[in-house]
Amino acid sequence: MFRQFAFALMLLFLVTATNAQQRMVGGYLRDSLTQLPIRGGTLTNAATKQRVQTDSRGFFVLRAAPNDLIYARAPKYKQDTLRYSALFADTITILLAPAAIVLQNVTVESGYAQYQMDSFSRRAEFEEARGYPLTAVDRSRHEGFGLVINLDRFFKKKYRGKKAAERMFNNMEKQAYIDHRFPPQMVAFYTGLKDGELLDFMRQYTPSYEWLRQHPSREEMVGYLSVQLRAYRKSKATGTLK
């Protein structure tokens, strides 16, 4: 009985000592290329198994003690590991490098096949969620007319709703294509802009869907970035930046 009591007392002492060493650690998870925050990243303390996610600012709060191993993960990024030290500042920054699939569009003209596969999957999910797509052709055979156009269907509220959903989906697909062709990692790679400057540049100079479709090559994109970067630098120098 005495041994059991002594063991329990020692275990309690160790747990208390460990908890005393722990502290709340705040930090930011950022893209190493763009310095932009990574939203929805996961930080895990290997010692305590505590797991937290970053918010829209890339911010997280995690409890850690000296020498605890912290794993940082995020979709489309390489995993990184940090060993926490009491010498760290109150707020730490962890940088994750984009995964190879993200960087494909930066240096080579590839990755389009993956975009097409993703687009096809999104279309299939959309059609499954809303039911069969609306058709203007009534395929029931009417006496003496064969296939006819059923205009009444267009004026029913439920079909107007389907058309609105179709427009929304098409707009989302256009934005997905823009994001695929004009990711912040690529813009940062060719312009050298980071963080706030990168966001300002992309807010003003992201090309339209139509322009991107008409200019599919990497050389055209690099030329576009060169011209727009000069315009951006000039507007900053003259104080005319919007």
Side-chain angles (χ1 to χ4, degrees):
M1 177 69 99
F2 176 76
R3 288 182 179 179
Q4 291 178 340
F5 177 76
F7 178 76
L9 191 63
M10 183 176 65
L11 185 62
L12 179 62
F13 173 78
L14 290 175
V15 170
T16 303
T18 301
N19 289 337
Q21 288 182 311
Q22 288 184 342
R23 57 184 292 192
M24 298 304 293
V25 180
Y28 292 91
L29 193 62
R30 292 182 176 272
D31 185 303
S32 64
L33 189 60
T34 66
Q35 300 296 310
L36 294 178
I38 299 176
R39 179 179 183 176
T42 302
L43 287 301
T44 305
N45 186 324
T48 64
K49 309 304 181 185
Q50 182 191 8
R51 180 180 299 176
V52 298
Q53 284 196 318
T54 58
D55 62 15
S56 60
R57 302 170 297 155
F59 185 72
F60 66 91
V61 177
L62 184 73
R63 184 177 292 278
N67 293 320
D68 280 358
L69 209 57
I70 298 174
Y71 294 103
R73 299 182 178 91
K76 298 183 179 180
Y77 286 89
K78 297 178 182 178
Q79 175 183 308
D80 202 359
T81 305
L82 173 74
R83 189 170 293 280
Y84 180 69
S85 169
L87 299 178
F88 287 175
D90 291 338
T91 303
I92 62 176
T93 298
I94 301 177
L95 302 177
L96 292 187
I101 192 172
V102 174
L103 294 178
Q104 282 179 333
N105 289 335
V106 173
T107 56
V108 295
E109 289 181 49
S110 62
Y112 185 65
Q114 183 62 49
Y115 161 78
Q116 288 179 309
M117 291 173 61
D118 292 342
S119 179
F120 179 79
S121 297
R122 287 191 296 267
R123 167 59 69 176
E125 291 174 2
F126 172 73
E127 295 293 357
E128 183 179 357
R130 73 165 188 169
Y132 292 106
L134 172 66
T135 175
V137 178
D138 187 342
R139 296 192 179 276
S140 60
R141 183 172 293 276
H142 292 251
E143 183 177 355
F145 291 96
L147 296 179
V148 298
I149 303 297
N150 188 349
L151 296 178
D152 290 340
R153 296 179 67 185
F154 284 110
F155 298 100
K156 292 182 179 179
K157 184 176 181 180
K158 64 177 180 178
Y159 289 116
R160 290 204 302 272
K162 284 188 176 183
K163 290 179 69 177
E166 181 73 26
R167 285 194 301 270
M168 182 180 297
F169 176 81
N170 289 336
N171 289 335
M172 291 172 62
E173 278 299 289
K174 288 182 178 181
Q175 187 59 51
Y177 181 75
I178 293 173
D179 294 342
H180 165 75
R181 289 286 314 281
F182 204 72
Q185 288 83 7
M186 182 202 68
V187 179
F189 181 86
Y190 285 113
T191 65
L193 300 175
K194 298 181 185 299
D195 204 6
E197 281 193 328
L198 178 61
L199 290 176
D200 286 340
F201 179 86
M202 294 191 68
R203 177 173 55 84
Q204 294 193 67
Y205 297 108
T206 296
S208 66
Y209 170 82
E210 290 73 20
W211 188 94
L212 290 169
R213 282 296 188 185
Q214 294 169 9
H215 302 83
S217 73
R218 178 169 57 91
E219 287 74 15
E220 290 173 307
M221 179 62 72
V222 173
Y224 172 87
L225 285 170
S226 178
V227 171
Q228 302 305 331
L229 182 60
R230 287 197 296 271
Y232 175 75
R233 294 295 192 197
K234 182 178 180 180
S235 64
K236 284 200 69 175
T238 57
T240 58
L241 186 65
K242 295 179 181 179

